[in-house]
Amino acid sequence: MTKILTNLYKINGQIQAAQKRANREQDHVQIIAVTKEVSVARTQEAIEAGLVHLGENRPEGLKHKIEAIQAGVHWHYIGSLQTRKVKQVVNDIDYLHSLDRLSLAEEIEKRANKPVKCFVQVNVSGEESKHGLTAEEAIAFIESLQNFTKIQVVGLMTMAPNTENEPIIRSVFQQLKQCQQQIAEMGFAHAPCTELSMGMSNDFEIAVEEGATFVRVGTALVGNERGEQDEHEK
């Protein structure tokens, strides 16, 4: 059994346990293997392990992986996307996890050949270092996208603070869930907003307990070859 398969088995078990604790065993949680810090070879290992949702955060890395792999996988762009780089990625991805401003939406509308499934990024914690809208801004922003034909708002995304304080992390995820439910109840055709992209390697179990439907897992699943190289050279 490969290391990735071993990791995947463990993570699936953790997700199932978190779902059971939250009484949501019937819900599906999609694992996105964040491959931004690993090679094409290890990304291919992830695909062979059965992972078909892959996440990249730079246009160059995304393009390199797509050209090298040529596999039937779902590509997620999970990083902040500069407006001028939309044309480099928009027709190669299935999901964008960082829609956070009108200029970006307008460029997607202009460049996309087909509708793109988008998560609106919400900065629930209010940290200046993080991108994203406030919950109030997110609602108004999503309303403003009603006439965009190339954008489908499937859900919301956030990142919790880098802390070991579980109540703080949990509160951020709870607030995103509340915002998602509020938007979903508005019944927008262009924004079903049924999904929640939240939780990474260090906090995905809490995210699942609080309603995550997509978790973005990198180091705990596929590793970090840069970090491994640094450790090897010590």
Side-chain angles (χ1 to χ4, degrees):
M1 186 178 287
T2 67
K3 183 69 182 296
I4 292 177
L5 265 175
T6 301
N7 292 342
L8 180 58
Y9 181 80
K10 178 182 178 182
I11 290 166
N12 275 327
Q14 291 171 305
I15 288 173
Q16 290 166 11
Q19 288 180 297
K20 187 173 183 179
R21 290 193 296 271
N23 294 314
R24 54 173 300 220
E25 292 100 316
Q26 304 306 312
D27 296 342
H28 179 67
V29 177
Q30 183 62 62
I31 298 172
I32 302 169
V34 178
T35 53
K36 64 181 185 177
E37 300 290 356
V38 299
S39 64
V40 167
R42 191 169 297 184
T43 301
Q44 188 65 55
E45 284 182 41
I47 295 168
E48 291 168 1
L51 291 156
V52 294
H53 287 261
L54 306 180
E56 290 285 327
N57 72 337
R58 292 187 177 87
E60 299 78 15
L62 174 72
K63 184 176 180 62
H64 177 60
K65 295 269 176 57
I66 290 174
E67 289 178 349
I69 291 170
Q70 296 289 314
V73 299
H74 302 285
W75 291 101
H76 297 248
Y77 194 87
I78 60 173
S80 180
L81 181 59
Q82 294 178 328
T83 304
R84 63 185 178 87
K85 293 191 175 183
V86 166
K87 62 185 177 182
Q88 297 178 36
V89 307
V90 72
N91 291 308
D92 289 325
I93 60 174
D94 299 286
Y95 293 85
L96 173 69
H97 289 247
S98 53
L99 182 59
D100 63 355
R101 61 195 185 279
L102 189 59
S103 61
L104 179 57
E106 289 172 342
E107 191 67 11
I108 293 170
E109 184 75 7
K110 178 181 176 182
R111 302 288 185 178
N113 295 330
K114 65 182 190 306
V116 180
K117 295 176 183 177
C118 297
F119 289 87
V120 168
Q121 184 167 355
V122 183
N123 184 358
V124 177
S125 66
E127 293 175 277
E128 291 185 5
S129 61
K130 286 184 169 58
H131 293 274
L133 304 163
T134 66
E136 293 76 16
E137 289 170 340
I139 294 171
F141 174 61
I142 289 170
E143 285 189 271
S144 76
L145 300 176
Q146 292 185 64
N147 294 323
F148 285 64
T149 62
K150 300 296 176 57
I151 291 175
Q152 182 184 32
V153 180
V154 296
L156 305 180
M157 185 278 266
T158 200
M159 290 185 288
N162 185 16
T163 176
E164 294 183 3
N165 188 318
E166 184 176 316
I168 290 177
I169 296 170
R170 193 174 295 278
S171 175
V172 165
F173 294 151
Q174 288 171 345
Q175 290 176 67
L176 192 73
K177 176 65 176 177
Q178 290 167 5
C179 185
Q180 173 263 316
Q181 289 177 319
Q182 186 176 351
I183 295 166
E185 288 169 3
M186 292 179 176
F188 295 127
H190 72 290
C193 203
T194 55
E195 311 296 335
L196 283 172
S197 171
M198 59 189 194
M200 299 188 289
S201 287
N202 60 334
D203 56 19
F204 70 85
E205 291 179 81
I206 303 171
V208 170
E209 290 175 2
E210 298 302 335
T213 58
F214 285 77
V215 292
R216 311 178 302 271
V217 187
T219 305
L221 181 55
V222 297
N224 179 335
E225 286 180 306
R226 268 185 220 172
E228 291 163 18
Q229 182 68 23
D230 293 343
E231 187 67 28
H232 178 72
E233 291 175 354
K234 284 182 180 178

